[in-house]
Amino acid sequence: MRPLTANVLEEALAAKLMLSFGKTPEEATDQEMMRVSALVLRDMMTLREVETRQETRRDKKKQVHYLSLEFLMGRSLMKNAYNLGLLPQLREALEHLGFQAADIFEVEPDAALGNGGLGRLAACYLDSMTTLEIPATGYSICYELGIFKQKIVEGQQVELPDNWKDLGAAWLLPKPAEAREVSFGGTIREFWQDGHLHIVNEGATIVQAIPCDMEVAGYGTGHVNVLRLWDARSTKPVDMSLFSRGEYLKATEEEAMAETIAKVLYPEDNHYEGKSLRLKQQYFFVSATMQSITAKHLETYGTLKNFHEKNVIQINDTHPALVIPELMRILIDEAGMGWDEAWGITTRSVAYTNHTVLAEALERWPQDLVQRLLPRIWQILQEISGRWQRKVDDYYHDGAKTEKMAIIWGGEVRMANLCIAGGMAVNGVSGLHSEILRSEVFKDACAMEPWKFQNVTNGIDHRRWLSEINPGLDALIRELTGGDAYLLRPESLRKLDAFAEDPNVWQRLAEIKRANKESFAAYAHKTQGVVLNPDAIFDVQVKRLHEYKRQLLNVLHIIALYQKLQDDPGTIIQPHTFLFGAKAAPGYAVAKRIIHLINSLADQIAHDPVCKDKLQVVFLENYRVSLAEKLMPASEVSQQISLAGKEASGTGNMKFMMNGALTIGTLDGANVEMHEVLGDENMFLFGLRADEVARLREGNYVPQRLYSRDVVLHRCLDALRTGFRDGVQYEDLYQRLLFGTQGSAADEYLLLADFSSYCQAERKMTEVYTDTERWNRMSLHNIARSGIFAADRAVAQYAENIWHVPHK
Ligand code: 26W
């Protein structure tokens, strides 16, 4: 093969442009050039993917199948070029053809097929699984619309459709020949024939699942894996001859179902809504996936008896939990196995990761919906449930425990219990979270089958989230650690600790941060028209808007600062810019009110001369992967202030740390592990610990007492009622904190309990900021010790402890 120089790449781009669009480089738009670049890289990856697949098959390697309703991939052009080792060549080729490489990267839409943490985690793990040369495939739905685009109109969130496929589909390779059929509804008929019991579903509505594959290149390897996204089609076009056969309605039904199934990603994060379309999406993707995996296994091995030896199914939260009854269905109805053999295989194949302990996020499907939509799956679920219940009963002889651990109970199917019963492993995503699963959420199941329960602390793709997005820091790391070894050995970031007392390194770090702040300010100005002061601390909270994440606590503290400034306009304070970015689920009214509040406050402060060059609040519109990539390198303070015990892990916290921001946070999720490597001296901890939260909850928590006792808090809360210069008042939020509403207790997430401790930590943080040497030393330690949060480490643990597959 010819070496891939910029020249060769330039020729390939020009040729592709000519053949696909009939254009010369002079005539092409940025969009066309982006598409052409994607096609050229895709071709290269496809060749390698075929080789990878052939090798997997030839050597009969065990495969990992990662099932997730969400993959928040973001952009791929720069990432793929980077992983293929072609980024400099691609840049050069594009420039040579008369384009600005940065503009070409910028026109790519985010593939935003996910909500937040869970979806981005899946994307980071795909990168690591591939880099570690694990034969792995991701599976999801090829949503036509990703997570909505957020616009802020008069301070409020407005949702717009995210039509990503126009350009984004350049990465997709449709494989219609590998289409599968998924059945919904119908009636089950059982009959004996040739001494066997046969089970058929009659009168079902059939939806076709067409795979659209997205290649995933690893870093420093020829290994290429695939993300298989299922698109939905109706089996047949509405055919006039069906009229006469009375099948017209059936055909229209199939069309309607097919059109809606892959239409849109559900935008609820950490909140379950029992919508039938969502259940259809889940089964559609699970059934197509399991059919595809078992068919390929049969091609290679001629039997499914060894399925569990050669495949592992990792499910990302309970959303794909129907793989358990679906695999049972295939093994029993299609492969003719008996129950016990099928169950043995299933329970040795499936592993479940839990990502949340919030009760309102647990999936519980109404049984009549399951019964109507998935009649055969329902029969199998009943059998699984009955057998599990007997097992639990035989073990505990305790009706209360039987009820708690039941799979079908009170007219509902509980997906987490199904996953525990039908899987070989259950893991949480940080040390604390896994401990809460073991000792609280799944306590009884854990006592019965303790070997199933594990921890794998989350990780992030450090090549994307550091090296690719922060070239200045990347260069400094290479210089100080002696090359690029850290890209494949993230622990070697530790070497940076040796420079803790080197003033020259402090200085370099400060310069890099400053430059990143300036470029982010330029971007914010261009896209949102805001003017950020690069002399101010960039203090950032970006994540989904949810009450447990406590954006409102951040707001209360800012109000306190603002009031202090109003009292004494002459005070010289460290200039402070608070940046927020967050999408609220469209139906989550309180979350939307908090977004409005942030914007009201931002506007108030922007118009108050007292705050000029001192205090600023900015709400960044449409927070998404590609915005995070610009923001992380420019951030100085990372707000990780969830109520202890509620945030399963967090992964944004890791991205900030890796880019040298200091964390102000509670001992929650992975912050605990962050604290273990950093110590008190390198982060700003505050607030109640998880066990203290539990105790406070058991006792009698009365937020009004704190309100009447603490004058600062009192005044902050009153400001919510008074409202802001835009005329908007937040009496509702005030009421919610002090008195609660019908549905929820007063101050559910204990903001008032943590308020003073938070303010103290903020004061400490701003004080340290003025000591630049100390700040930069801390920042250096943060970067140096962030290696444990690389996804490579997490994926290696999955490979060793759960999947039992070799890795590089
Ligand atoms: C059924 C509705 C629904 C949708 C999404 C319920 C729950 C979810 C996700 C499990 C929510 C989620 O993204 N959880 C986050 O997962 C991250 C990756 O493990 C963690 O870092 C975050 O702490 C956790 O909130």
Side-chain angles (χ1 to χ4, degrees), residues 70 115-122 125 266-273 278 282 316-319 353-358 360-363 365 428-430 433 458 544 548-549 646-654 669-670 798:
E70 306 186 16
N115 275 288
L118 163 126
R120 183 55 230 175
L121 189 78
Y125 284 3
Y266 273 89
E268 281 82 33
D269 181 272
N270 263 308
H271 188 85
Y272 165 74
E273 311 214 19
R278 169 79 172 185
Q282 293 185 349
N316 208 15
D317 216 276
T318 60
H319 317 154
T353 304
N354 173 285
H355 295 267
T356 180
V357 299
L358 297 192
E360 66 268 30
L362 292 186
E363 291 190 294
W365 290 104
V429 290
S430 72
H433 170 59
N458 282 167
R544 283 299 288 252
Y548 85 81
K549 295 176 186 282
K646 295 291 180 194
E647 189 68 272
S649 161
T651 43
N653 47 359
M654 303 169 185
Y798 278 99

Side-chain angles (χ1 to χ4, degrees), residues 395-434:
Y395 186 85
Y396 280 119
H397 307 288
D398 177 342
K401 292 205 193 315
T402 302
E403 172 174 351
K404 247 175 71 193
M405 290 170 70
I407 295 170
I408 301 174
W409 196 271
E412 292 179 326
V413 187
R414 301 170 180 170
M415 305 314 266
N417 287 350
L418 172 64
C419 292
I420 293 169
M424 56 174 176
V426 179
N427 77 282
V429 290
S430 72
L432 175 65
H433 170 59
S434 297

Side-chain angles (χ1 to χ4, degrees), residues 781-800:
H781 285 311
N782 270 263
I783 302 162
R785 297 171 197 184
S786 67
I788 54 159
F789 295 120
D792 289 357
R793 183 270 313 149
V795 165
Q797 288 179 326
Y798 278 99
E800 289 161 25

